[in-house]
Amino acid sequence: MQPPQDPFRPAGSENAQDPMAQWTQVPFPGQMNYQAPPAYPQAGQVPPPAQLRPEVNYPQQMAQPYAPQAQAPQQVPPMQTQTYAQRPEMAAPQPVYETPKTGMPGTKKTSNRTVYVVLSLVALIFAAIVIIRMVAPAQVNFAHVEVGALSARYSGDAVVVRNETVYTQDGVSQIDYKVPEGATVQRGDPVATVYSSGFSNKEWTTLNNYRAQIKEKQKQLMADAASDPKMLNLMSQVTERAMEVQRLVQGTPGSLIRQEELLAQVIMERQVHIKQKYSEDQKLTRLYDDENTQLQRISSWTKQYAPNTDGLVSFYTDGFELALNMNNYNQFTPAQVRKIYQGEVPKTDNQLSRKAVSIYRVVRQEPWVVLMLCNEKEWTPVEGRSYNLLIESFENTIVEAKVESFTRSGGELLVRLLIYDTEKLPDVLYIRSCKVQLGENVNSLAVPSRAIYMREGKKGVVMTTEGGEYWTGVEVISDDGQTAYIIPENPGVLYQGVRVRLF
């Protein structure tokens, strides 16, 4: 852009419409000396625009200031008129030369505000840390051993294993039991008479026919025994025992089994008396001989059973006696025990034949086992520790059980519990699968969890005494992250009140 050739541009140029642009003074480059406009000649008269008086030599014809036309003052804005009228001493604003824009962004000054904010935050954080350390209590580095009773309960499915022997026979047609169910028997006591499959019921029909004839003959003899005092006494006792049994059946308190035994004993005494009293009666003697002959014939088809050990006798079996017993219970995996609980009989070498029939079983009054599939699979049992075992059945049974061993596999936890309470055997005589609950009440010591310190792979605590610090081993029963229940290896050293270090 070139500067104008003439320092003044008269009215009537391209900016004639703008009253302020009629007299515009444009300085030459480098010449920026200005002077204040002269005083107004008359009040109310608008002075001409400020004249720039550069230190240059103007032409002679332009030596005097150029007077504006008469209409120029009317076109000046009122604010300009008022400004100059009110402040005539005010100098004209000095124009500033601006560098032409090049299109390139200018350099911006970097603000220090962000730095001040960061430094302020750091100072506040540091002050907060100092205040917290001054106000908050110092971390405790020691604690004292306390007495803590730990109680826990575990539940699960279980299988009962007894020390029992089952007696079987192939081809059985009939069984006569000599003792009641659940009776305690000794070795050699007759328990049952078993009839083989070749035995025919016709033999029983013949025997019962002879016995019916004997009974009718005895009735005739008793009716004619009015002069026999002993016979009359025995008949009276039989009648009294029979009436007593009837009253017990109707609800009178008493032992029905005992009365039945007394009635059978009196009847037997009466029969013996009749046999001795009328031994010369030929018909009665012949009927007795026929009965004995038939009994001998039947005995050829029978077998007498007697146990070879003492124990409780039961005539009910479930098929697990040979497959699951005290000799092999520790060989089963958790998955196999789960199948047994569901009723599947494991296959063994001692399988019964298809014709075999279980006659009875004898349960020895010895320690027995419960195989427990624990629901709390993360629990780690302590071998050798005793627990209270609740067996849920028709009548709940509580026994003391000792952890013999445990196996964890296939997502199952199998705990083998050994029970020495043989008096509870009648309560589990007919139980194979059941629900159980294992309760634990342990008198232990309690310390903060931070007091447990590992040394050479063993857990222990560091005791703080007047003589120094000493490490002693402990068994951690339970640890919930806050409190650890422990049993010391040396109770004479670690006990209630001892000071221990926290880590």
Side-chain angles (χ1 to χ4, degrees):
M1 178 178 177
Q2 296 180 358
Q5 298 297 326
D6 197 345
F8 300 101
R9 285 178 295 184
S13 62
E14 61 275 6
N15 293 327
Q17 298 297 330
D18 188 357
M20 294 299 299
Q22 293 181 3
W23 299 97
T24 302
Q25 192 172 14
V26 179
F28 289 99
Q31 299 177 356
M32 302 299 292
N33 295 326
Y34 296 91
Q35 294 181 0
Y40 304 124
Q42 295 181 1
Q45 183 179 2
V46 179
Q51 297 180 2
L52 178 64
R53 297 185 179 184
E55 296 180 358
V56 293
N57 295 322
Y58 297 100
Q60 294 298 324
Q61 64 273 14
M62 298 299 293
Q64 298 297 326
Y66 182 79
Q69 297 180 359
Q71 65 273 16
Q74 297 179 358
Q75 296 178 0
V76 176
M79 183 172 293
Q80 290 289 346
T81 304
Q82 295 176 0
T83 301
Y84 280 97
Q86 296 175 0
R87 302 183 64 181
E89 70 279 5
M90 178 178 178
Q94 298 180 0
V96 179
Y97 178 77
E98 296 181 357
T99 306
K101 297 182 179 180
T102 61
M104 297 299 291
T107 303
K108 296 183 178 180
K109 295 182 179 180
T110 304
S111 176
N112 295 329
R113 185 176 182 180
T114 303
V115 179
Y116 295 151
V117 172
V118 173
L119 293 177
S120 300
L121 291 177
V122 172
L124 289 175
I125 294 174
F126 179 78
I129 293 175
V130 173
I131 294 174
I132 291 175
R133 289 187 175 181
M134 293 176 62
V135 175
Q139 185 177 7
V140 179
N141 295 324
F142 300 95
H144 292 85
V145 178
E146 299 178 356
V147 175
L150 179 64
S151 178
R153 187 168 296 275
Y154 312 97
S155 61
D157 305 325
V159 175
V160 178
V161 183
R162 297 169 290 264
N163 190 358
E164 55 192 353
T165 302
V166 63
Y167 296 86
T168 62
Q169 179 177 318
D170 293 342
V172 176
S173 61
Q174 185 177 338
I175 302 175
D176 288 343
Y177 299 110
K178 305 298 182 181
V179 295
E181 170 70 21
T184 302
V185 296
Q186 306 294 325
R187 180 178 180 179
D189 291 346
V191 174
T193 300
V194 180
Y195 298 84
S196 62
S197 58
F199 178 74
S200 175
N201 290 332
K202 293 181 180 180
E203 305 295 339
W204 283 113
T205 303
T206 303
L207 178 61
N208 292 331
N209 187 22
Y210 291 145
R211 289 178 174 176
Q213 295 181 30
I214 292 173
K215 185 176 181 180
E216 292 297 329
K217 183 62 178 177
Q218 289 177 348
K219 288 181 179 181
Q220 294 177 4
L221 295 175
M222 287 186 293
D224 298 337
S227 59
D228 189 353
K230 186 175 182 179
M231 178 64 70
L232 295 176
N233 185 25
L234 292 173
M235 292 175 62
S236 176
Q237 291 184 18
V238 171
T239 303
E240 291 178 1
R241 297 300 180 187
M243 293 177 64
E244 184 66 24
V245 171
Q246 184 179 4
R247 286 193 293 268
L248 292 174
V249 172
Q250 293 175 353
T252 303
S255 177
L256 180 60
I257 296 177
R258 178 58 179 169
Q259 290 299 326
E260 289 179 350
E261 293 176 353
L262 294 175
L263 177 60
Q265 182 179 354
V266 173
I267 293 175
M268 182 62 65
E269 291 178 0
R270 188 184 64 179
Q271 290 178 351
V272 171
H273 178 70
I274 293 175
K275 191 174 183 179
Q276 294 176 355
K277 176 74 175 177
Y278 303 98
S279 59
E280 296 179 356
D281 191 308
Q282 295 181 357
K283 184 178 182 181
L284 183 60
T285 303
R286 181 175 55 82
L287 290 174
Y288 283 144
D289 293 339
D290 293 340
E291 181 187 17
N292 291 331
T293 302
Q294 187 63 22
L295 287 173
Q296 292 177 2
R297 180 178 176 85
I298 292 175
S299 63
S300 62
W301 300 93
T302 62
K303 180 180 180 181
Q304 302 294 327
Y305 276 85
N308 55 8
T309 184
D310 301 343
L312 302 175
V313 65
S314 177
F315 307 110
Y316 298 95
T317 59
D318 59 4
F320 288 91
E321 289 80 11
L322 295 178
L324 180 64
N325 49 59
M326 295 295 293
N327 297 325
N328 63 358
Y329 71 90
N330 54 2
Q331 300 176 5
F332 291 95
T333 64
Q336 292 173 331
V337 174
R338 175 63 67 182
K339 292 181 179 179
I340 295 175
Y341 176 80
Q342 296 173 351
E344 181 178 338
V345 180
K347 296 181 180 180
T348 60
D349 297 335
N350 299 326
Q351 295 291 331
L352 296 176
S353 63
R354 294 182 179 179
K355 297 181 180 180
V357 177
S358 299
I359 308 303
Y360 67 97
R361 60 189 172 101
V362 174
V363 181
R364 297 174 180 83
Q365 293 178 307
E366 298 177 358
W368 43 290
V369 169
V370 170
L371 302 178
M372 177 183 177
L373 295 170
C374 187
N375 294 332
E376 290 76 16
K377 300 177 177 58
E378 300 300 327
W379 173 50
T380 301
V382 180
E383 296 183 0
R385 179 165 297 166
S386 297
Y387 300 85
N388 292 326
L389 179 66
L390 171 63
I391 301 176
E392 299 178 355
S393 57
F394 297 103
E395 294 183 2
N396 293 341
T397 302
I398 299 178
V399 294
E400 183 178 354
K402 181 179 180 181
V403 177
E404 184 182 38
S405 62
F406 67 93
T407 301
R408 198 190 311 270
S409 66
E412 294 274 14
L413 173 60
L414 174 61
V415 184
R416 302 175 184 89
L417 302 171
L418 187 61
I419 303 168
Y420 295 94
D421 190 356
T422 58
E423 295 182 358
K424 299 295 184 179
L425 269 175
D427 298 337
V428 297
L429 192 61
Y430 312 104
I431 299 175
R432 182 65 67 182
S433 300
C434 58
K435 298 284 187 178
V436 297
Q437 292 185 12
L438 200 61
E440 178 183 22
N441 295 315
V442 181
N443 294 326
S444 61
L445 299 177
V447 296
S449 300
R450 293 168 50 201
I452 303 301
Y453 183 78
M454 297 292 296
R455 178 181 176 185
E456 297 179 356
K458 295 183 62 178
K459 294 181 179 181
V461 297
V462 177
M463 301 181 298
T464 302
T465 64
E466 296 180 356
E469 294 185 344
Y470 303 94
W471 181 91
T472 181
V474 299
E475 178 186 352
V476 179
I477 303 174
S478 176
D479 190 349
D480 58 3
Q482 298 293 331
T483 304
Y485 294 89
I486 61 174
I487 295 179
E489 295 182 357
N490 191 353
V493 175
L494 187 63
Y495 47 85
Q496 182 183 8
V498 174
R499 191 182 185 188
V500 294
R501 177 177 287 277
L502 301 181
F503 298 93

